[in-house]
Amino acid sequence: MPTTIVSLPVLPTNRPLRLTPTDVSQFVRLEQCERFLRFRLAERAGQKFMEDYDVTPQRITPLLSLSGHDFEEDIEKALGKHFRTVHYAAKASQDHNRPDNNREVVTEARKLKPGKTVLLFQPRLEVELAGWLLRGDLDLVRLERQADGTLLVLIGDMKSTVEVKVEHRLQVAFYNLMLERLFEKDGIAHHSIQMGILFRPPADPTPEEQIELQPLKDATKQTFDLDDAFLEIVADPQAYVQSVHDLVLSADSTARRVAQALFDKVPYSLSFKCDGCLYNEFCMNWSAEQEDLSLLPYMTGTEKEALRRAGVTTIQTLATLKDFAPDSKADLVPAPGREAQVKQIAATWPVGPRLDELVHRARSFRRSVRKDGTQALNYIPGKGNSSLPVSTPELNPNLVRIYIEAQHDYLEERIYLLGALVVACKDGTPVGRRAVVRMTSGPPDSAAKERKLFVEWTRDLVHTVVDLAVSGQPEGEKQSAPIHVIFFDHYEQRLMLEALGRNFPPILQATPPLYDFLTQLAAFDSPIASYLDEEIRTFKNFPMTCQSLQSVAAYLKFDWNTPHKFRELFKARVFDYLGKLDIDGVSEWFTRRSRFSSSMPLEYTYAAWGQLPKPGAGKGDVFADFRAVTKDLLTAFQVRRLEALEHVANSIQGNPNTQKTPFVLPDLAKYEDKANDLAHALHEFVTIERLVALHDWKTIRYAPPERRVLMGEALLVRYVEADQEPGVAKQNRENERRRRKREEYAAAFKAKNPDKQFRMNKEQSAECKWSPEGLRLRLRIECEGVDCDLNEALLMSTLRDGDRLVLYRRWTVDERLPVAEQKEFTPTPKQMLYGQRAELLRIVATKKDGAGRVTEAFAEVELKESRGNDYTKPFVFPAFNRPLEGGKLYTLDICPNEWYAYWCAQVV
């Protein structure tokens, strides 16, 4: 392909600019990507740039296009039975270049008799508004003449979706203004225009949703006498009309600004939205030639523009912004002569906290893609702990890993395929593995099909775990094993949770161990799930732009052509992302097409089900790339995808400091599950509620404390004895003396009785008894290692007076190891879950500079001791209290909400 960089000229202002409402709707759907809008404006103005640049437009996925066409066709046939209709596209033999129907629409409106109604399908309007020549094909216009001569107009857009979106309403707002101008120009008075969206009923609505949707169903019946669609009448049309002016029609609109901007200055970024864009191949090629910052993985548009404003416009300029420190393999320092630029960027939101990470990524790109010898790391340093557990003979020796994927049918809004790979360990080595893959026999067009899929897959999965797991308990006792679930991203988990929500009671009834399995203490104090995309983003420094499952696994040398040639069978929209580019006479591989998504394109599945339409005679087959896939090949590919998940997970160093609490494996032959009474039912409710909240809390705690300060979730504090009120430091030292005395008694007992459990006698218990309860501390707030000053940290903090907090050491060690082998590490979320509780009394600023910025501050806290009985143990975790050490750095973190625990205990 050519290496000449294309730059589209500024659009002329001496004639009306052309645009369609669909263009603006797509612009909104693509997260208001201004470069997309510029492309559409350029093409409407007659500029040719795709073919000249040797790239092709990426059309909408054929199955989605077919679904929309079929939905519109079915609605048109149904309406034809009740009303007189005129179909303008059919009259023009579906000619794409047909003329407008302005005159015909006005004629139909003018000649309509009182009491009569007519439906106009696909009329093409072309109207000039505020210097714009707007053209659009309206799906449906309903004209009704009342007895008093008033013309009632309903502009309807038909969407094969189960919900109405903002861009849908915006599109009909354009049509509203266009039809108003047309009627005004031709003197059609006494009319009233409404805007509406006809869409598919959602799948299996709940009783609450049915009540909420009933007015839409009634509106469809009253207006069109239809039962198989919903009609939403836009309640606030003026708000969307105003958006039309803001985006296009006004003198300072977004579209006018984009039309007049230099092409190189139009902002854009590369992300998941690009997978569905016409022009993604152009942007990928253009970015590669320009070495644009957008090519860096996880670079947001806001961060990119912040760097550009600071003078960093290419990956090369970013890669050379910092160098490795002379005596360090990981630390970066400003490059000579660029100190002021680094300081400016470091103080800029939001790019400042990520500056070192982005420099590392830029250096990796230069080394891997440009191959210019740039020194780079294959990891991102200083990112804290992974959520992935390790399995060794000493730590989680019988760990069970479950890799999970779910595939979604967006036409039916249901799951059609579930897959899991169970890998069980013994003494830290995998000893058993089995894939559990289930797929519906056809499109999941009923709730029963999805429910059957989940019930059968869940039952098989629980049986597989019980079969493969190596118990950590002696024979005769309840089997147990630590279990960890691994998804590629949160999207997979969200799909499953939504489907489980639709089918939860039937699944529990059919697979009773599931509830008991997932609501044990092990699900609370240990991280039960990891997301590989987050792990990759946090710890890995891969150079490719689109870090999907297929691209990451391929980069890590995973063989996608075993046991079948999956790269060829699933090339379209999965493995078609690579291309070659000539830069300065050197040919190099680059990401030619945007493929951020890891999901399997639905066309392959419909091909396996035999649900694709046959190719028309004499016409091109838009489904040709998908037809070779069968059910067996699809299942085999899903198994291989699960193995790819395992391959990627194995490339990430797990957390050697977290010991997972084992799950008690269910006895499948004896287990029964039902709520025996109100207390049991409340217990179930609270357990599920807490599981979700604790997962969110633990996810944040995987980030290092310095990053949590920037997130507003924590503060770094130092305990200094001289800062304390009289008697506080003395009491703290006495508590420490008593704690150490207990350790001495325990060590002496164990030396004499290695096989017995240590218990103190009354005298020893009285001598060693201590409690942190009520001790008030004054902790100095610091910003050591944080990319902001104290004033900014306090402004960002969400900690408030009266909050219950976790007070924990910034650095800890594994005290089970000999002293010589102990190494400091960041505390894990599980350790913090059991950490010292404290209540924040207040934050006091004691010094400020001349500008009024805080330069010294203290957090005053009162220590608490968590208490709970066995019943509340899943909700309240007894703290492993430990007196504070003078001069040591600690963290103050938001505490997991314990209110549910006390509420549940009182109810029970």
Side-chain angles (χ1 to χ4, degrees):
M1 63 166 289
T3 57
T4 302
I5 296 174
V6 173
S7 183
L8 279 64
V10 172
L11 296 173
T13 58
N14 58 351
R15 61 178 182 269
L17 294 171
R18 291 179 173 270
L19 201 61
T20 73
T22 304
D23 294 338
V24 183
S25 176
Q26 290 175 332
F27 163 69
V28 173
R29 181 177 59 81
L30 294 173
E31 300 175 7
Q32 299 194 33
C33 175
E34 294 188 3
R35 177 174 268 211
F36 168 83
L37 186 57
R38 178 58 175 274
F39 283 141
R40 297 308 286 160
L41 289 168
E43 284 198 324
R44 300 300 182 194
Q47 295 180 7
K48 303 293 184 182
F49 52 89
M50 295 292 283
E51 292 182 3
D52 294 344
Y53 200 43
D54 194 27
V55 293
T56 56
Q58 176 177 267
R59 297 301 175 187
I60 189 172
T61 54
L63 200 58
L64 190 61
S65 180
L66 177 65
S67 172
H69 176 269
D70 290 347
F71 177 73
E72 291 182 14
E73 193 172 73
D74 290 344
I75 293 294
E76 289 169 359
K77 287 180 180 178
L79 291 176
K81 298 176 182 179
H82 304 288
F83 301 94
R84 181 173 74 86
T85 65
V86 183
H87 201 303
Y88 294 97
K91 289 173 65 175
S93 302
Q94 305 294 336
D95 184 4
H96 180 71
N97 295 317
R98 61 190 171 99
D100 67 68
N101 304 115
N102 291 4
R103 179 54 49 196
E104 292 97 319
V105 170
V106 170
T107 301
E108 287 289 347
R110 196 183 301 279
K111 74 180 184 180
L112 193 63
K113 302 295 184 182
K116 298 296 184 180
T117 300
V118 63
L119 303 185
L120 312 180
F121 293 131
Q122 302 297 324
R124 174 165 293 178
L125 303 185
E126 189 165 88
V127 177
E128 185 173 338
L129 282 173
W132 290 88
L133 190 58
L134 303 177
R135 188 186 72 175
D137 296 346
L138 286 63
D139 287 345
L140 168 65
V141 178
R142 182 182 187 275
L143 302 177
E144 178 186 357
R145 182 75 69 183
Q146 291 189 311
D148 63 359
T150 301
L151 180 66
L152 299 183
V153 183
L154 173 64
I155 301 172
D157 207 41
M158 292 185 272
K159 299 295 182 184
S160 180
T161 62
V162 295
E163 63 178 349
V164 177
K165 299 179 180 179
V166 170
E167 58 262 33
H168 302 157
R169 302 185 186 105
L170 185 66
Q171 191 169 334
V172 292
F174 271 95
Y175 298 146
N176 186 345
L177 291 174
M178 294 167 67
L179 198 58
E180 282 278 14
R181 175 55 59 88
L182 192 62
F183 283 177
E184 177 186 346
K185 181 179 177 181
D186 285 272
I188 304 293
H190 306 295
H191 65 270
S192 173
I193 299 180
Q194 286 184 310
M195 308 180 330
I197 312 293
L198 271 168
F199 63 103
R200 298 170 57 203
D204 311 309
T206 64
E208 293 79 9
E209 290 173 331
Q210 288 178 343
I211 294 174
E212 183 180 343
L213 295 170
Q214 188 62 43
L216 306 181
K217 185 175 183 179
D218 294 342
T220 315
K221 186 69 175 177
Q222 180 180 350
T223 308
F224 293 113
D225 197 21
L226 291 180
D227 296 314
D228 297 330
F230 282 172
L231 172 64
E232 179 197 273
I233 302 296
V234 178
D236 187 11
Q238 193 55 43
Y240 293 95
V241 169
Q242 182 60 49
S243 295
V244 171
H245 285 276
D246 294 340
L247 290 174
V248 178
L249 300 182
S250 68
D252 58 349
S253 69
T254 300
R256 291 188 196 277
R257 175 174 53 78
V258 169
Q260 295 304 305
L262 295 174
F263 180 71
D264 295 358
K265 303 299 182 184
V266 176
Y268 78 101
S269 62
L270 302 174
S271 67
F272 279 87
K273 69 179 184 301
C274 302
D275 287 7
C277 178
L278 285 166
Y279 307 105
N280 90 50
E281 192 170 330
F282 183 104
C283 288
M284 298 303 297
N285 292 14
W286 192 90
S287 299
E289 291 184 350
Q290 288 276 53
E291 202 173 320
D292 189 84
L293 292 169
S294 297
L295 289 177
L296 292 184
Y298 314 114
M299 171 71 77
T300 68
T302 305
E303 291 165 344
K304 175 185 168 182
E305 290 309 305
L307 287 171
R308 285 169 61 91
R309 287 193 300 270
V312 178
T313 58
T314 67
I315 293 177
Q316 182 180 21
T317 55
L318 179 58
T320 55
L321 188 63
K322 285 188 169 187
D323 294 326
F324 283 102
D327 299 325
S328 173
K329 296 181 179 180
D331 294 335
L332 296 172
V333 295
R338 304 184 73 178
E339 293 83 359
Q341 192 178 23
V342 169
K343 186 176 181 180
Q344 175 192 354
I345 297 172
T348 303
W349 182 91
V351 74
R354 291 193 64 203
L355 181 57
D356 281 8
E357 175 197 339
L358 295 174
V359 171
H360 280 299
R361 295 196 185 282
R363 296 179 73 89
S364 175
F365 179 92
R366 294 290 303 180
R367 179 187 64 179
S368 177
V369 179
R370 292 292 183 257
K371 295 180 171 55
D372 62 351
T374 298
Q375 181 185 357
L377 304 176
N378 59 6
Y379 66 96
I380 302 295
K383 288 295 185 177
N385 298 307
S386 169
S387 66
L388 289 167
V390 298
S391 181
T392 67
E394 297 78 26
L395 188 63
N396 308 314
N398 61 329
L399 178 68
V400 177
R401 298 182 178 94
I402 306 177
Y403 303 89
I404 291 181
E405 264 210 323
Q407 302 295 342
H408 179 244
D409 185 338
Y410 51 78
L411 301 182
E412 302 294 342
E413 290 297 332
R414 294 185 180 95
I415 300 294
Y416 70 85
L417 184 149
L418 290 167
L421 175 64
V422 181
V423 181
C425 294
K426 180 180 181 181
D427 297 328
T429 302
V431 292
R433 58 192 299 112
R434 188 184 306 167
V436 180
V437 177
R438 287 272 186 172
M439 183 174 72
T440 57
S441 58
D445 50 11
S446 70
K449 290 183 179 180
E450 183 183 59
R451 189 177 305 127
K452 182 173 182 286
L453 170 70
F454 265 88
V455 167
E456 293 178 350
W457 178 80
T458 305
R459 186 186 295 127
D460 288 351
L461 179 58
V462 173
H463 276 270
T464 300
V465 171
V466 174
D467 288 346
L468 295 183
V470 178
S471 178
Q473 297 297 322
E475 190 172 344
E477 297 187 17
K478 289 186 176 181
Q479 286 190 312
S480 68
I483 294 172
H484 199 75
V485 177
I486 301 169
F487 299 92
F488 186 76
D489 54 32
H490 278 281
Y491 176 71
E492 301 281 345
Q493 186 206 37
R494 180 173 64 81
L495 289 176
M496 291 194 65
L497 289 178
E498 289 175 352
L500 281 170
R502 293 192 294 269
N503 301 282
F504 195 58
I507 291 174
L508 287 185
Q509 291 170 9
T511 57
L514 180 64
Y515 169 80
D516 185 61
F517 191 53
L518 294 177
T519 56
Q520 298 177 37
L521 177 61
F524 287 86
D525 76 340
S526 302
I528 193 174
S530 292
Y531 306 92
L532 290 183
D533 66 329
E534 290 182 357
E535 298 288 322
I536 293 166
R537 174 171 183 166
T538 303
F539 301 106
K540 292 298 184 180
N541 193 13
F542 298 146
M544 58 279 196
T545 304
C546 307
Q547 303 206 351
S548 62
L549 172 62
Q550 55 268 21
S551 65
V552 170
Y555 182 80
L556 294 171
K557 311 300 183 185
F558 181 76
D559 184 3
W560 280 109
N561 282 331
T562 301
H564 305 283
K565 293 188 179 299
F566 293 122
R567 292 189 73 104
E568 292 301 319
L569 288 166
F570 293 88
K571 183 176 181 179
R573 294 184 181 268
V574 180
F575 292 109
D576 59 351
Y577 54 87
L578 286 178
K580 282 242 177 170
L581 186 68
D582 292 329
I583 299 290
D584 298 329
V586 178
S587 181
E588 61 185 38
W589 289 100
F590 80 112
T591 305
R592 183 177 182 182
R593 296 184 180 93
S594 165
R595 295 290 181 260
F596 284 91
S597 174
S598 299
S599 298
M600 201 184 306
L602 194 57
E603 284 78 6
Y604 291 111
T605 309
Y606 272 68
W609 285 330
Q611 294 290 321
L612 295 181
K614 296 180 180 180
K619 297 182 179 180
D621 183 7
V622 294
F623 295 101
D625 293 330
F626 310 99
R627 294 190 184 277
V629 173
T630 64
K631 289 183 181 179
D632 289 341
L633 285 173
L634 195 71
T635 302
F637 184 48
Q638 181 58 67
V639 173
R640 196 59 180 157
R641 289 170 63 89
L642 294 168
E643 292 168 347
L645 281 175
E646 181 187 22
H647 185 84
V648 173
N650 289 339
S651 73
I652 299 169
Q653 182 177 358
N655 187 347
N657 302 314
T658 291
Q659 182 167 356
K660 290 179 64 67
T661 301
F663 282 83
V664 176
L665 303 178
D667 186 337
L668 300 175
K670 301 178 180 178
Y671 188 80
E672 292 183 3
D673 181 68
K674 63 180 180 179
N676 298 314
D677 50 35
L678 174 62
H680 190 181
L682 291 173
H683 174 86
E684 293 181 0
F685 168 77
V686 175
T687 301
I688 295 170
E689 186 94 7
R690 293 301 299 124
L691 183 61
V692 175
L694 269 175
H695 169 76
D696 294 341
W697 183 88
K698 287 183 293 187
T699 299
I700 294 173
R701 265 76 225 164
Y702 280 112
E706 291 76 14
R707 284 183 59 200
R708 298 203 300 270
V709 171
L710 296 173
M711 297 162 67
E713 290 277 339
L715 288 173
L716 285 173
V717 296
R718 192 178 299 278
Y719 173 72
V720 179
E721 289 192 346
D723 294 333
Q724 309 309 313
E725 294 292 330
V728 172
K730 181 180 179 181
Q731 181 62 50
N732 186 68
R733 289 196 299 272
E734 175 62 18
N735 290 345
E736 176 63 12
R737 186 192 69 78
R738 289 172 177 260
R739 188 194 69 81
R740 288 184 180 276
K741 192 66 178 176
R742 186 191 187 285
E743 289 185 350
E744 291 173 7
Y745 282 135
F749 180 87
K750 281 292 184 181
K752 294 180 181 180
N753 309 280
D755 298 329
K756 294 184 179 180
Q757 184 176 358
F758 170 63
R759 293 183 184 277
M760 292 188 293
N761 58 39
K762 290 183 178 180
E763 292 77 12
Q764 290 172 333
S765 180
E767 184 182 0
C768 300
K769 186 177 180 180
W770 72 278
S771 171
E773 186 76 30
L775 196 63
R776 296 196 171 198
L777 302 178
R778 187 176 167 88
L779 304 173
R780 188 181 296 267
I781 303 175
E782 298 193 359
C783 285
E784 182 180 303
V786 181
D787 292 328
C788 70
D789 60 25
L790 178 59
N791 191 79
E792 291 169 332
L794 293 177
L795 289 174
M796 290 186 290
S797 176
T798 59
L799 276 61
R800 297 292 180 264
D801 296 355
D803 282 353
R804 194 169 175 86
L805 308 175
V806 176
L807 177 62
Y808 212 93
R809 289 170 291 175
R810 167 60 184 91
W811 298 101
T812 189
V813 297
D814 188 346
E815 295 181 351
R816 297 169 297 181
L817 300 174
V819 175
E821 298 179 19
Q822 293 178 4
K823 296 181 179 179
E824 288 190 331
F825 60 86
T826 297
T828 66
K830 180 175 179 179
Q831 288 174 307
M832 295 185 64
L833 195 61
Y834 292 87
Q836 171 70 62
R837 301 303 199 251
E839 180 182 330
L840 179 62
L841 302 177
R842 61 175 182 162
I843 292 177
V844 182
T846 53
K847 289 184 182 179
K848 296 184 179 181
D849 61 15
R853 295 172 62 84
V854 177
T855 58
E856 182 182 83
F858 291 86
E860 296 181 0
V861 302
E862 181 176 307
L863 300 187
K864 300 291 182 180
E865 185 164 22
S866 294
R867 296 185 178 89
N869 55 39
D870 289 341
Y871 194 88
T872 60
K873 206 169 184 179
F875 313 103
V876 179
F877 296 90
F880 295 151
N881 303 317
R882 189 164 188 166
L884 278 68
E885 298 180 52
K888 288 287 186 179
L889 195 63
Y890 290 80
T891 61
L892 278 175
D893 274 83
I894 298 290
C895 181
N897 190 342
E898 296 172 335
W899 179 84
Y900 289 104
Y902 300 115
W903 173 79
C904 184
Q906 292 299 317
V907 170
V908 173

